[in-house]
Amino acid sequence: MSIFKKIFGNSSSDASGEAKDNDFNSYQDLNSQLPVDECFTHNFKKNGGKFLYCENTAELNEQFENILEENDWFESEALCVEQRLFQMLEDNNIVYKGVTSPKFLLTTCESLIAEEGSVMFSSNQIRQNKPHDLPVNIVVVAATSQIVLTKSDGLREIKKRYTTDYPTNITTIKYFEKGKEEDFLHYGSSQKNLYLLLLEDL
């Protein structure tokens, strides 16, 4: 059984009163106790990301259409630089060539960073754009095998993946909802409305 089925199939409403007294310690130790995929899911959702688990490509396409319907993005414009994703846009009459006002970015990623619940990109997905230059809405297509524990692990994966033509502009996006103005931890960060379509490939 997939780990994600176990996560989303169980209710967390049966927490005991004793656990409540130890919330801080439990939270502090959570990342070190959880398997890497559960750790990513927990931190990604805590950051405000929208997580959609897909068992196969048919389910992935269905979830993508649900996102388009939810946001009224059918027959709109999208930013996308990866040829392997063009078909998803063409199937839904979404323009991706010569766009001026893209409603969203459709992209893959380099890695999913578990310890902070962030998504790592490079120039292969976003060219030389900085996070604040990208559309506010982002739809990421990724696979469960791309989940790694730390940013260092993500960088190692990039080095292994690209023996030549090493990508540039490696960056991570971590905040997926508007932070409170008084929250100094979000200062200078670029908040995005991010959907993650995570395809099971393990």
Side-chain angles (χ1 to χ4, degrees), residues 1-8 37 53 55 144 200 202:
M1 176 185 278
S2 166
I3 190 69
F4 295 101
K5 281 188 178 176
K6 287 192 269 185
I7 294 171
F8 296 110
D37 44 9
Y53 171 71
E55 288 190 329
T144 50
E200 176 68 65
L202 295 175

Side-chain angles (χ1 to χ4, degrees), residues 56-100:
N56 50 54
T57 53
E59 199 170 310
L60 185 145
N61 289 325
E62 181 183 347
Q63 293 284 22
F64 180 58
E65 289 178 11
N66 290 340
I67 293 171
L68 298 179
E69 184 175 0
E70 176 187 327
N71 294 281
D72 194 22
W73 289 340
F74 285 109
E75 300 182 4
S76 65
E77 292 185 346
L79 178 63
C80 182
V81 300
E82 296 171 271
Q83 188 171 356
R84 58 182 166 164
L85 299 178
F86 290 168
Q87 191 64 50
M88 291 176 68
L89 298 171
E90 291 170 0
D91 289 345
N92 293 285
N93 299 317
I94 294 172
V95 177
Y96 57 89
K97 293 179 181 176
V99 298
T100 55

Side-chain angles (χ1 to χ4, degrees), residues 35-46:
V36 67
D37 44 9
E38 288 186 52
C39 178
F40 171 77
T41 305
H42 172 81
N43 290 329
F44 177 78
K45 291 176 74 178
K46 179 171 66 73

Side-chain angles (χ1 to χ4, degrees), residues 86-154:
F86 290 168
Q87 191 64 50
M88 291 176 68
L89 298 171
E90 291 170 0
D91 289 345
N92 293 285
N93 299 317
I94 294 172
V95 177
Y96 57 89
K97 293 179 181 176
V99 298
T100 55
S101 303
K103 295 285 187 182
F104 65 98
L105 166 68
L106 177 64
T107 182
T108 62
C109 66
E110 294 295 346
S111 291
L112 304 170
I113 312 300
E115 72 172 1
E116 62 178 27
S118 64
V119 183
M120 180 176 283
F121 301 98
S122 78
S123 54
N124 287 328
Q125 295 89 35
I126 61 174
R127 297 294 186 253
Q128 296 307 315
N129 291 304
K130 299 302 178 191
H132 64 268
D133 297 324
L134 300 171
V136 171
N137 303 299
I138 299 177
V139 180
V140 177
V141 178
T144 50
S145 60
Q146 290 180 274
I147 300 174
V148 297
L149 183 58
T150 67
K151 281 184 182 178
S152 296
D153 295 328

Side-chain angles (χ1 to χ4, degrees), residues 21-60:
D21 295 333
N22 295 312
D23 273 349
F24 179 76
N25 289 335
S26 299
Y27 177 76
Q28 195 175 33
D29 296 336
L30 187 62
N31 286 354
S32 59
Q33 293 174 352
L34 288 177
V36 67
D37 44 9
E38 288 186 52
C39 178
F40 171 77
T41 305
H42 172 81
N43 290 329
F44 177 78
K45 291 176 74 178
K46 179 171 66 73
N47 290 343
K50 299 179 177 77
F51 179 92
L52 298 161
Y53 171 71
C54 309
E55 288 190 329
N56 50 54
T57 53
E59 199 170 310
L60 185 145

